[in-house]
Amino acid sequence: MSLISFWSVDSNKLNQISTPILFIFLFIFALLWLRSKFRRPSLPPGPRGLPLVGYLPFLSPNLHHNFADLAKVYGSILKLHLGTKLCIVLTSPSSVNEALRHQETIFSIRDTTVVALLSSYGGSDIVFTQDENNWKKLRKIFTRKMLSKSNLDASYSLRRQEVRKVIKGVFESAGTPIDIGKLGFVAALKSVMAMTWGGSGGLIGVDGTDLDAKFREAVDEMMVLLATPNLSDLFPVLGRFDLQGVVRKMKKVMCVFDEIFNSAIEEQRKRGGNGMENRGFLQFLLEIMEGEDSSESITENNLKALLMDIVIGGTDTTSTTVEWAISELIKQPNTMNKVIEELTKVVGLNQMVEEFHLPKLNFLDAVVKETLRLHPPLPLLVPRTSSQTTTFGEYTIPKGSTIYFNIWAIQRDPKVWDNPLNFEPERFLNESSENLYDFTGNRIEFCPFGSGKKSCAGIPLAKRLLVLILASLLHGFEWKLPEGSKFDMEEKFGIVTKKLNPLVTIPTPRLPNLELYNIM
Ligand code: HEM
């Protein structure tokens, strides 16, 4: 048999065998292709938990540290179950960017806890409203009207007076230990309250009670309740039993707020806003509520909830940052000296700090940024929830997941920052990065105020009030630790992340003319 005839016989046989095999191969290939095309990507990896409670028993109190450690094992997109909740933790600039910017409509709703809902009059505020149109309207009122440049300029005298009162108080207690966090809180809260009620002085109830003091107590209590982990959030079926009594306590605090707000509204209505030099946020909101422009109309609950946003959003965040900044500066005398040199040069020793000095305090601005890089008051931002199932690269994120953004870990990531754990304000002063990193979160590597359309609405006020308080304390006094006192930089996770051991320091007046401390 010639080679040709061998080939033709065998190729016929071969055809008979190979056609079915080819079909089988094509069939399997088509199946695989279809599977890969229509298969949902899997959930992100994450630690195993226990039945029912999930990872809950293994969590440490500092949630942001815990999440950062887990990210080292499971990667920058990880999942864990906390009670009945599926939680996703994002720990890289790219994944946070994906959620807050590229897929922001899916992740724009905040994860709401039972007490947060109560504190916001059932989600009538900017932070927790679930209605996009309502959010747009409230945010516009908040940023373009209440915190507009002209309104903030006009209310400067109110902030100035409250900060001056605090400085006078410190002067009178010179030489004795002072808790800086508490001092900063009083300065921030009293300034915010003065701006809320306007130039009408403090709030006095019908029976002559000092409502300002009552308000301060209620804010203190609310901060504690907001920070209390509540079983009802993790196991909604337990909600009606309110096992820890958190809801009962919160309802009581809300009654106090309501009484104060009602009294303030009644008083403000009687007085009206005409002719008032400083109209205050309350008068602004009353005018909007009672005005004729239906596109802006707000309810009384919206009004009260917006006031709550200012009080809750603007006080603890500000005072905590002041405390961390002074702690870092006490730890590093060389950096403290640079701040003092700048204050002496820009403000001079013959006057107190004024708001117009602030834009010239470039080094202090870098100190504030560096403080917020290492100690963001909200290290996981305000958690969001996914409004629909979506994919993140190779992973699926189911609808209803709670999303945490670990910006604390990102802002300390050695892949992003040189010497990330060192306090080096100079890093924000080099020409290229000065313009690169601002407070708008345009680069996720530095976003203590969040990023995207739902980033902090209070930045214009935060920038003025925080720096005014910090600069006034540093310009007016030299701060020393009491002899033999313990000093550390341990953190305590909560509604805002504070120092575990409060900073207690002794002030000595720095300005030669002691009269300055009494000028209001
Ligand atoms: C050091 C000071 C402050 C820090 C670090 C801070 C940080 C933040 C962060 C991280 C968020 C969430 C952003 C997100 O989800 O992406 C936020 C939201 C918000 N903050 Fe601030 N904040 C500060 C001061 C203030 C002040 C002074 C006010 C009020 C006057 C305020 C009012 C708000 C409001 C209303 C929101 C919700 C915005 C929205 O949902 O549209 N914050 N803030």
Side-chain angles (χ1 to χ4, degrees), residues 339-349 361 475 510:
V339 172
I340 299 301
E341 257 169 44
E342 183 180 67
L343 282 165
T344 310
K345 195 166 148 215
V346 173
V347 182
L349 293 177
L361 298 170
H475 186 57
R510 225 173 61 78

Side-chain angles (χ1 to χ4, degrees), residues 36 38 57 63 108 169 222 238 298 315 354 359 361 384 390 448 484 496:
S36 72
F38 292 106
L63 216 54
S108 70
M222 172 170 278
L238 299 178
I298 55 169
T315 48
E354 299 285 351
L361 298 170
R384 311 265 180 109
T390 182
V496 303

Side-chain angles (χ1 to χ4, degrees), residues 114-115 118 230 232 239 242 245-252:
V114 181
V115 284
L118 282 173
N230 187 357
S232 309
D242 185 26
V246 187
V247 169
R248 187 174 35 82
K249 287 184 202 152
M250 188 56 126
K251 281 185 177 160
K252 234 169 121 189

Side-chain angles (χ1 to χ4, degrees), residues 100 110 126-128 135 139 142 147 309-311 313-315 317-318 321 372 376-378 381-382 384 405 407 447-459 461-462 465-466:
L100 293 185
R110 299 247 160 66
I126 304 181
V127 186
F128 294 109
W135 170 79
R139 175 126 184 161
F142 198 88
L147 300 191
D309 276 352
I310 296 181
V311 170
T315 48
T317 44
T318 302
T321 309
L372 288 168
L378 304 173
L381 299 183
V382 184
R384 311 265 180 109
F405 308 91
I407 60 143
C447 65
F449 292 91
S451 182
K453 70 174 185 179
K454 293 226 161 166
S455 61
C456 179
I459 295 175
L461 176 60
L465 185 57
L466 162 60

